[in-house]
């Protein structure tokens, strides 16, 4: 019995060594990103791992939802709520990386999704736009410092601009999927035109189905029949649609840098704690 156990141990060790050699090479270094995990969380904080595009849904002329396959149907990305990932792609022979927040969560097994707006000058977003099903990107994470925890505050205010809705969407989805999380969520979502409003259908379904969630849209160029906010997000809009400053209130900001800077100043004038240049998780006003 002891001899058979010893042989099994030796065989297992040799097998593990062979697998390590296969993935790492004889010099112990990876020559290219690769997925090592096959079940459970697959993200690695420093090592880029490859994921295959399996589905692409066009949401608007310049925005699409990209679904990437995880190693097994039961695998999870392993991304804490509120964190983001770094996506690396080759551009003119050199690696270029950008940060994105998946709109999926670890409740979604076997895949993760990104909603990305393509910018003419955006190296990574343009690469994603050109991707075909079967193509791969390299990803690492988690990145960032903020992590949402159920009932961490009584009320959560959010101001998002354009694709800045994606980290908010991830958090909202997590809150509303948990019956034990009683956090009140209020969102001000600013865009240039009505066609630019990302994820609108799902956001409005949530607002209709959940009393603890509401959303207010603001457009720079609204259509004639528009009944939402017009122009830029103002002090009056914040006062009307976000929770008032209190110890059990937090406000999250994400969007174009000029907008985030302006919102931070407005919130400071209204009595919220002035945001830092680089936000920390415990700040009352946190900038993604």
């Amino acid at each position: 019995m002891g001899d058979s156990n010893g042989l099994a141990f030796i065989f297992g060790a040799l097998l593990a060594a062979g697998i390590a050699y296969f993935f790492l090479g004889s010099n112990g270094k990876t020559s290219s990103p690769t997925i090592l995990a096959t079940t459970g969380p697959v993200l690695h904080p420093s090592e880029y791992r490859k994921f295959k595009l399996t589905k692409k849904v066009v949401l608007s002329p310049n925005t699409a939802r990209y679904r990437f396959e995880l190693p097994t149907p039961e695998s999870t990305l392993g991304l804490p709520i509120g964190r983001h990932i770094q996506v690396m792609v080759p551009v003119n022979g050199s690696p270029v990386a950008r940060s994105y927040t998946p709109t999926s969560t670890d409740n979604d097994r076997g895949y993760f999704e990104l909603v990305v707006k393509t910018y003419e000058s955006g190296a990574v977003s343009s690469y994603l736009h050109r991707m075909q099903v079967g193509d791969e990107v390299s990803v690492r994470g988690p990145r960032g410092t903020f992590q949402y925890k159920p009932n961490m505050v009584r009320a959560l205010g959010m101001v998002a601009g354009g694709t800045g809705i994606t980290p908010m969407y991830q958090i909202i989805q997590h809150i509303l999927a948990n019956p034990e999380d009683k956090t009140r969520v209020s969102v001000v979502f600013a865009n240039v035109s009505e066609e630019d409003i990302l994820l609108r259908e799902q956001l409005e379904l949530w607002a209709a189905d959940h009393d603890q969630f509401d959303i207010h849209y603001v457009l720079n160029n609204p259509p004639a029949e528009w009944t939402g906010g017009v122009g830029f997000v103002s002090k009056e809009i914040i006062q009307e649609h976000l929770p008032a400053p209190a110890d059990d209130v937090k406000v999250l900001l994400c969007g174009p840098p000029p907008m985030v800077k302006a919102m931070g100043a407005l919130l400071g004038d209204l009595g919220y704690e002035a945001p830092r240049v680089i936000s920390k998780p415990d700040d009352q006003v946190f900038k993604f």
Side-chain angles (χ1 to χ4, degrees), residues 45-186:
S46 58
E47 174 188 321
Y48 281 101
R49 295 176 171 177
K50 286 186 176 180
F51 299 91
K52 183 186 298 183
L53 180 68
T54 58
K55 188 177 182 180
K56 180 178 176 181
V57 178
V58 175
L59 302 179
S60 73
N62 58 6
T63 305
R65 178 186 286 112
Y66 303 86
R67 176 173 289 193
F68 295 91
E69 183 181 52
L70 297 179
T72 77
E74 291 303 311
S75 296
T76 60
L77 189 60
L79 186 70
I81 298 300
R83 301 284 180 91
H84 56 268
I85 58 175
Q86 200 165 47
V87 177
M88 183 177 71
V89 300
V91 178
N92 297 325
S94 299
V96 178
R98 294 289 184 272
S99 294
Y100 294 100
T101 303
T103 51
S104 54
T105 72
D106 279 353
N107 291 327
D108 302 304
R109 295 181 176 271
Y111 69 90
F112 71 94
E113 291 186 335
L114 301 175
V115 171
V116 179
K117 182 175 182 178
T118 303
Y119 295 93
E120 187 174 344
S121 59
V124 177
S125 65
S126 295
Y127 183 95
L128 294 173
H129 178 72
R130 295 190 299 270
M131 286 182 70
Q132 301 296 316
V133 169
D135 292 345
E136 294 179 324
V137 296
S138 298
V139 174
R140 69 178 179 181
R143 315 293 281 182
T145 60
F146 181 77
Q147 183 172 338
Y148 179 79
K149 296 179 181 178
N151 298 304
M152 63 188 297
V153 290
R154 172 182 55 83
L156 196 58
M158 300 176 174
V159 182
T163 55
I165 193 64
T166 55
M168 313 303 188
Y169 184 95
Q170 182 201 64
I171 294 169
I172 296 163
Q173 180 179 192
H174 187 72
I175 291 172
L176 299 181
N178 180 4
E180 301 302 316
D181 195 337
K182 306 302 181 183
T183 306
R184 172 80 185 176
V185 186
S186 303

